[in-house]
Amino acid sequence: MNRHHWWRDAVIYQVYVRSFLDSTGDGIGDLAGVRTGLPYLKKLGVDGIWLSPFYPSPQHDHGYDVADYCGVDPVFGDLDEFDRLIGTARRLGIKVLLDIVPNHCSSEHPWFRQALAAAPGSPERARFHFADGRGPDGDEPPNNWHAMFGGPAWTRVTEPDGRPGQWYLHMFTPEQPDWNWRDPEVAAEFDRTLRFWLDRGVDGFRIDVAAGLFKHPELPDSPDPEADARTRDSVNPLAWNQPEVHDVWRHWRAVCEEYTARDGRERLLVGEVSVPSAREHAKYVRPDELHQAFFFDLLGAPWDADAFRKVISEAMQDIAGTGSTVTWVLNNHDQVRTVTRYGEPTPESSGLGPARARAAALLMLALPGAAYIYQGEELGLPEVVDLPDDVLTDPIFRRTGSRARIRDGCRVPLPWSGQASPFGFTSGTEAARPWLPQPDWFAEYATDRALADTRSFWHLYRDGLQLRAALDQLGDGPLRWLDTQPGVLAFVRGDDLVCAVNFGTAPVPAPVDGVPLLASGPCPPGVLPGSTAAWWITGT
């Protein structure tokens, strides 16, 4: 496997810090808990971790509303604990990526407070998107845009003299005002932020809303103002994917290259890029921009062999064609967990979620490029779909009143051991139980049970990761499709390693002769059961 550019075929584990492991007993995961869990992740076999935001924040969107980009919220620890985490990860050979949020900050960020106290047209307000309202009294928003999390994308402020005043833009929630990247002070401040964390030893950054930052300079009305809220995606072409954003990534790439030149350690930029096509996606990973960007089309594909082949082929053609590698992902902290998602589409698919999730995991790990695993996927955790309304924390629920596509269910704290909550997640008292309640059935998925059961999801992931690291055919490199019967997807890596997936329900003859190395379920030689994936060495 090519390790000169470690990120090209790296497998990164996403740590949602507040739900990983609690070291203090307050019911909220923290950096010391992450450090304690690093040997577990080393044993699993991942190359690195991506930490969700742990910066000082009022937690209106669980850290994605940042009040200070260069600190640690006391609920998660402090900078000394962060430095200890970096040191432990370095000793274990685990890379550490931070989640950086450049599209918006917290309404409690000092610069936004200064903007509220300043006058219209001031330099303080120029750092954000402040605008006069429409209508005779300015009591209508400056345009018709809607926020992704529901409601209008504008909030009116009360001026220092007590009069109703201007409006400010927030594409998510009012507690998350959008930065104005056309103001040079904003770019300079994020340059300082990058260097602060690079100087502390991080290996790179996952960039939130990487297709955002710039808005159309005239802030015109949208022909489909509710598109973002309806799709829960960044599709408003006036608010996202503006051409100027590429200049930012060129500069950030240059900063990373500067640090790499100093000590030879490559720093990684991976973007959360939501754009209309693989071809548009490819623009973000040109040689002088982001190293990688999450390819979400695989995550969104229906369980269908033709659909999977189409999105994989487009990614290989358009994204890998830039010289980057595709960054595959099946789940993250914003999505319904894979086991549940694959069991939902039709009544006929009920009960097939676990088998499909196992097959998809092997498929993803066999593809050329990098892969990201969300915490708990290696345990086969399903979504918690019946959380009571009074414990929900997702701002989408707070702003819309709807439970549709809320994200709390995939963020329930991990079960580590035992038969009852808190399942080893926290040693706190009853008053300090996990911040989201864990269901009783979590006992079936606890880490200690998964480690002891060689048929578990955990062993499938671990064995797949070990083979991926050991076999030259896997990781970075080309892919060649095989002709198969309908409902079966198969491709060759190298000269002799085949990944085959049966998307149907009936067993079919395996598409190749050879020796099965690894299967997502019982896979006798020569047979590929339904909803199963297998890796085979053909011997040719």
Side-chain angles (χ1 to χ4, degrees):
M1 187 179 295
N2 178 4
R3 287 296 182 188
H4 177 63
H5 300 294
W6 66 267
W7 48 270
R8 292 185 63 85
D9 50 20
V11 178
I12 306 295
Y13 185 95
Q14 182 191 352
V15 176
Y16 195 72
V17 176
R18 67 186 296 115
S19 295
F20 186 71
L21 186 60
D22 169 28
S23 72
T24 63
D26 65 357
I28 300 174
D30 47 50
L31 294 179
V34 176
R35 180 165 56 88
T36 300
L38 287 178
Y40 162 81
L41 297 177
K42 178 68 174 179
K43 186 174 184 179
L44 181 62
V46 299
D47 298 298
I49 58 174
W50 146 30
L51 299 174
S52 63
F54 51 78
Y55 316 109
S57 165
Q59 303 293 319
H60 290 293
D61 191 18
H62 290 320
Y64 286 92
D65 49 324
V66 181
D68 176 4
Y69 286 87
C70 295
V72 176
D73 195 297
V75 75
F76 300 124
D78 54 28
L79 284 171
D80 288 340
E81 181 54 52
F82 176 81
D83 292 340
R84 286 191 286 271
L85 189 161
I86 290 290
T88 301
R90 187 72 53 79
R91 288 193 295 275
L92 292 173
I94 295 175
K95 308 289 187 181
V96 179
L97 308 181
L98 301 195
D99 205 324
I100 192 166
V101 189
N103 180 73
H104 51 267
C105 65
S106 166
S107 55
E108 296 187 18
H109 190 285
W111 278 14
F112 189 72
R113 292 186 173 217
Q114 292 171 19
L116 292 179
S122 62
E124 291 83 1
R125 289 201 175 181
R127 299 165 176 161
F128 302 91
H129 294 279
F130 278 84
D132 295 332
R134 298 192 291 195
D137 299 315
D139 55 0
E140 296 178 12
N143 67 27
N144 65 353
W145 298 358
H146 281 238
M148 192 179 298
F149 289 174
W154 295 90
T155 291
R156 196 174 193 184
V157 305
T158 300
E159 300 294 354
D161 62 5
R163 293 182 297 106
Q166 289 190 306
W167 300 70
Y168 69 88
L169 180 68
H170 48 83
M171 293 305 299
F172 290 90
T173 73
E175 294 83 13
Q176 294 166 289
D178 280 38
W179 291 108
N180 176 16
W181 273 81
R182 299 183 190 282
D183 186 283
E185 283 196 70
V186 173
E189 181 66 7
F190 274 93
D191 196 76
R192 183 181 74 87
T193 298
L194 292 181
R195 294 177 184 278
F196 176 86
W197 293 110
L198 290 169
D199 288 341
R200 298 194 92 91
V202 304
D203 296 286
F205 302 92
R206 176 268 184 185
I207 305 166
D208 190 58
V209 196
L213 281 61
F214 287 86
K215 279 62 179 174
H216 190 289
E218 297 176 6
L219 299 174
D221 277 346
S222 169
D224 187 2
E226 298 184 10
D228 284 358
R230 184 178 63 252
T231 62
R232 198 71 50 73
D233 201 356
S234 48
V235 296
N236 179 351
L238 303 170
W240 315 106
N241 199 27
Q242 298 292 300
E244 298 93 332
V245 75
H246 296 283
D247 291 332
V248 176
W249 307 139
R250 291 185 184 99
H251 176 70
W252 285 27
R253 179 67 174 260
V255 171
C256 287
E257 300 291 352
E258 173 190 328
Y259 277 79
T260 297
R262 293 182 189 177
D263 57 17
R265 287 197 304 116
E266 282 193 288
R267 274 59 165 200
L268 170 65
L269 297 174
V270 56
E272 181 195 33
V273 173
S274 182
V275 289
S277 67
R279 184 166 298 179
E280 194 70 24
H281 180 114
K283 294 179 181 179
Y284 285 81
V285 293
R286 289 175 287 198
D288 61 344
E289 295 194 37
L290 304 178
H291 299 81
Q292 294 175 325
F294 296 123
F295 185 65
F296 293 119
D297 291 31
L298 189 66
L299 183 157
W303 186 254
D304 176 82
D306 291 338
F308 268 59
R309 178 164 178 163
K310 179 177 184 292
V311 299
I312 293 168
S313 296
E314 289 177 351
M316 294 301 298
Q317 174 181 317
D318 294 327
I319 299 170
T322 67
S324 179
T325 54
V326 186
T327 304
W328 308 102
V329 58
L330 290 172
N331 197 238
N332 60 35
H333 64 293
D334 291 329
Q335 304 293 331
V336 173
R337 283 198 176 274
T338 310
V339 164
T340 302
R341 192 174 74 247
Y342 283 144
E344 280 182 340
T346 66
E348 292 77 16
S349 65
S350 177
L352 294 174
R356 291 175 172 180
R358 292 171 66 96
L362 278 194
L363 170 66
M364 179 178 72
L365 293 177
L367 289 170
Y372 279 65
I373 301 168
Y374 178 52
Q375 66 178 39
E377 291 293 292
E378 82 282 8
L379 303 175
L381 269 183
E383 186 89 352
V384 181
V385 298
D386 56 356
L387 291 167
D389 286 359
D390 61 355
V391 305
L392 297 178
T393 62
D394 193 330
I396 296 172
F397 177 72
R398 187 173 65 249
R399 286 181 59 78
T400 66
S402 170
R403 297 176 65 99
R405 298 171 67 185
I406 58 173
R407 302 165 295 169
D408 291 288
C410 69
R411 301 176 177 185
V412 176
L414 293 183
W416 289 88
S417 61
Q419 299 298 314
S421 184
F423 298 110
F425 168 73
T426 178
S427 58
T429 64
E430 177 66 18
R433 57 186 180 271
W435 68 277
L436 279 175
Q438 300 161 305
D440 292 341
W441 51 261
F442 259 35
E444 302 173 31
Y445 300 90
T447 300
D448 61 349
R449 181 176 294 193
L451 289 171
D453 181 2
T454 57
R455 300 166 300 175
S456 69
F457 267 81
W458 192 91
H459 281 273
L460 177 77
Y461 270 94
R462 196 279 306 271
D463 293 348
L465 289 169
Q466 285 187 339
L467 283 171
R468 182 181 167 100
L471 297 174
D472 291 337
Q473 300 95 320
L474 293 172
D476 201 1
L479 169 154
R480 176 169 58 87
W481 293 108
L482 293 176
D483 293 330
T484 61
Q485 65 189 79
V488 176
L489 190 69
F491 53 85
V492 179
R493 301 299 318 280
D495 293 326
D496 58 358
L497 192 147
V498 173
C499 173
V501 185
N502 180 5
F503 283 78
T505 57
V508 299
V512 294
D513 295 325
V515 180
L517 294 176
L518 184 64
S520 64
C523 190
V527 176
L528 193 66
S531 296
T532 293
W535 293 354
W536 300 70
I537 291 288
T538 67
T540 59

